[in-house]
Amino acid sequence: MKKYFILLILLFLTGCSIVRIDTSNIDNIVDVVLSKENKLYNNEGIGYQYYIPRGVTHIESDDGMEKLYCDGSYYYLYIDTVSYYYKKHQNYEVNTNAYYYKEIDNNGDGFLEINKDGSLYYLNFYYNNARVEAAVTKEKLNKAVLNASYILSTVKFNKKIVKLMLDEDYFTNKTGKYDLFDNSTKSNKFELKVEEEK
């Protein structure tokens, strides 16, 4: 009996908590996931890192574009290091004909826009200097919003690496012709002398 009592006290002292997200409502998904600061990451690119949720697979990377896969749908993650470096805000125009639109301003500017075309829903989610785009069916829409919310909320940049990538003067090199075997310049200061041992 003492063991269970001690275990119960330890459980209360550690502060474990489980947050369940109501995934039937897109507004609730976005508000809950983006309201907390996520420090998770399990994938890295040049100058940034982010978290890929369970069930999402990384396919390939190409210069700030990450291709991800989940349940038969591809997600495309675009990392905007230029806007991050120069602290530029994304200018977007509200699409009044969108199936769903939500402006997001928790820790940074952003928006979630969903457009319907036939049986597919096109997700365009911009937040935290990154964008996730996907085309999914109605059944997969809420899960795609949940996954995109986790991905975008965890994007973190490495300031030093981004500065090196975008600094115009850092990687400039001076060109010049070097010929190691050119004997046109001769110097009389040095002479090679070979002395034999006696």
Side-chain angles (χ1 to χ4, degrees), residues 121-133:
Y121 292 80
Y122 293 93
L123 176 77
N124 182 10
F125 197 164
Y126 182 86
Y127 180 73
N128 199 16
N129 294 305
R131 176 187 311 270
V132 171
E133 293 180 353

Side-chain angles (χ1 to χ4, degrees), residues 61-182:
S61 299
D62 184 26
D63 196 28
M65 191 278 295
E66 309 281 334
K67 186 175 181 181
L68 309 169
Y69 178 81
C70 179
D71 291 338
S73 301
Y74 290 100
Y75 301 167
Y76 297 92
L77 171 64
Y78 301 97
I79 305 295
D80 192 359
T81 53
V82 175
S83 292
Y84 167 77
Y85 182 71
Y86 292 108
K87 295 179 178 33
K88 292 191 176 189
H89 294 287
Q90 177 75 17
N91 292 330
Y92 51 89
E93 193 172 310
V94 176
N95 182 359
T96 56
N97 297 324
Y99 171 80
Y100 176 88
Y101 182 83
K102 180 178 179 79
E103 194 169 312
I104 301 164
D105 191 30
N106 288 341
N107 295 325
D109 64 328
F111 66 91
L112 170 59
E113 180 179 307
I114 301 170
N115 291 299
K116 183 181 179 197
D117 186 18
S119 63
L120 290 178
Y121 292 80
Y122 293 93
L123 176 77
N124 182 10
F125 197 164
Y126 182 86
Y127 180 73
N128 199 16
N129 294 305
R131 176 187 311 270
V132 171
E133 293 180 353
V136 296
T137 60
K138 174 74 173 169
E139 300 81 35
K140 299 175 184 175
L141 180 60
N142 288 3
K143 186 173 184 177
V145 171
L146 179 65
N147 289 334
S149 298
Y150 272 114
I151 293 167
L152 293 175
S153 69
T154 59
V155 173
K156 301 283 185 277
F157 292 91
N158 185 324
K159 291 179 185 177
K160 292 178 183 177
I161 293 176
V162 171
K163 181 175 178 9
L164 289 176
M165 287 171 43
L166 299 177
D167 191 7
E168 293 175 4
D169 297 328
Y170 187 79
F171 285 113
T172 57
N173 55 0
K174 298 185 170 97
T175 59
K177 184 178 176 183
Y178 296 98
D179 191 356
L180 297 175
F181 303 105
D182 184 19

